[in-house]
Amino acid sequence: MGRITSRRKVVQARGDGARSTLLDTLAVEEPLEIRSAGEVMNVTMRTPGADFDLVAGWLVGEGLVRGTRELTSMSYCPGLDDHGRQTYNVIEVILADHLGIGRAPRTTFASSACGICGTASLESVRVASPYDVAADRLEIDGAVLAALPDRLRSAQVVFERTGGLHAAGLFTADGGLLCIREDVGRHNAVDKVIGWALREGLLPLRGHVLQVSGRASFELVQKAAVAGIPVLSAVSAPSSLAADLAEEAGLTLAGFVRGGGFNLYSRPERVPDRSRLAVSGTRGT
């Protein structure tokens, strides 16, 4: 796994009071600095791996890039740790000549827990989607939607070893998995998926479903809408602002997608009534 995981000696205490020493596998968390023209655009804590996808997805989510032609190049900057090894923790981005930094870049640190806490002002949090998500005619069968968390979980290779990573997966309407990414930050996992789609020339992601392993925040709904994704499905609860934004953007937001059921918080018509699942009354714990 390289720098994605790390081994650490731990003392394990059991319920019967016995203790033992063993090696545990941890998910790696390191900073990634994103630069353009030598200026720092963002610093985020992430799990190394798929870094170019992460940067590309972040640029999409910030409304700075919409297609591959607008992203000229990405490259790691030289940087050595205390042992003389390349850190791969700084990426320089070159945007197309006609692009500037159209919005105020983030000016402070963004942790793996929150992708917008470093934004320069509240007004700069909101990014308008360039796509008409509400017009997307995607329909997904309820049974397919309910099965997505298990399909995502079965593909989480690093989580299987560490138990410490979020995941995001891009699915087709019939439940086919196109891309999965894992990260200590759920916003990073989503950025990695969207960045992969950008680099593959797939934006906008009409007719696709984004499944995430945790809750649905305002930021995740926004990232999905900006990428043109019509359905966001979350294992846990959405926030009130996430539900409001989903309704406004015309995006279908599903929460508590687990145990064979789900709640639909906006645009429920994309999951037709022919579904045999009982969606009413489903609650989280």
Side-chain angles (χ1 to χ4, degrees):
M1 291 294 178
R3 293 168 61 238
I4 298 176
T5 61
S6 175
R7 299 281 281 172
R8 188 179 185 88
K9 185 182 293 184
V10 301
V11 175
Q12 183 183 70
R14 296 189 293 272
D16 59 4
R19 295 193 174 193
S20 59
T21 301
L22 53 81
L23 284 176
D24 194 15
T25 301
L26 305 180
V28 170
E29 182 176 23
E30 292 182 358
L32 178 67
E33 181 176 298
I34 305 171
R35 298 178 184 173
S36 180
E39 297 293 326
V40 177
M41 302 173 70
N42 188 32
V43 178
T44 186
M45 299 300 294
R46 98 301 189 191
T47 299
D51 287 338
F52 288 164
D53 288 345
L54 171 57
V55 173
W58 181 81
L59 291 168
V60 172
E62 291 294 295
L64 300 175
V65 168
R66 297 184 184 179
T68 54
R69 293 183 179 181
E70 296 176 340
L71 180 54
T72 301
S73 69
M74 293 181 286
S75 60
Y76 286 104
C77 297
L80 302 178
D81 63 15
D82 294 338
H83 302 285
R85 297 171 299 195
Q86 167 66 273
T87 62
Y88 297 101
N89 283 338
V90 180
I91 290 180
E92 176 77 18
V93 173
I94 299 178
L95 303 178
D97 290 340
H98 68 282
L99 296 176
I101 305 302
R103 302 170 61 247
R106 305 182 185 203
T107 56
T108 58
F109 173 81
S111 76
S112 57
C114 175
I116 63 173
C117 55
T119 307
S121 69
L122 289 176
E123 290 76 16
S124 65
V125 168
R126 182 65 186 272
V127 180
S129 175
Y131 309 115
D132 187 0
V133 177
D136 196 305
R137 297 183 177 181
L138 169 71
E139 288 189 356
I140 180 170
D141 187 86
V144 173
L145 180 65
L148 295 186
D150 287 341
R151 294 185 181 183
L152 182 70
R153 175 66 181 82
S154 65
Q156 289 182 245
V157 176
V158 184
F159 180 88
E160 188 67 30
R161 299 185 64 196
T162 66
L165 291 178
H166 292 283
L170 186 67
F171 290 85
T172 60
D174 60 0
L177 177 60
L178 298 179
C179 175
I180 180 174
R181 293 291 185 266
E182 296 177 273
D183 200 277
V184 289
R186 55 180 183 272
H187 62 282
N188 289 336
V190 169
D191 279 341
K192 287 178 177 181
V193 167
I194 293 174
W196 169 84
L198 172 78
R199 299 176 70 203
E200 292 292 319
L202 298 178
L203 294 189
L205 287 167
R206 298 186 182 95
H208 291 81
V209 180
L210 180 65
Q211 176 68 51
V212 296
S213 60
R215 65 183 178 88
S217 64
F218 165 87
E219 184 184 19
L220 297 194
V221 171
Q222 177 166 268
K223 288 178 181 295
V226 172
I229 299 172
V231 177
L232 171 62
S233 172
V235 171
S236 193
S239 68
S240 62
L241 195 57
D244 290 344
L245 179 59
E247 186 67 40
E248 179 183 338
L251 180 147
T252 299
L253 177 60
F256 294 117
V257 186
R258 59 196 189 202
F262 48 83
N263 288 345
L264 299 173
Y265 294 86
S266 59
R267 295 299 297 266
E269 65 271 16
R270 288 202 178 100
V271 188
D273 290 341
R274 65 176 177 269
S275 170
R276 294 173 294 176
L277 296 177
V279 299
S280 61
T282 301
R283 300 294 298 174
T285 57

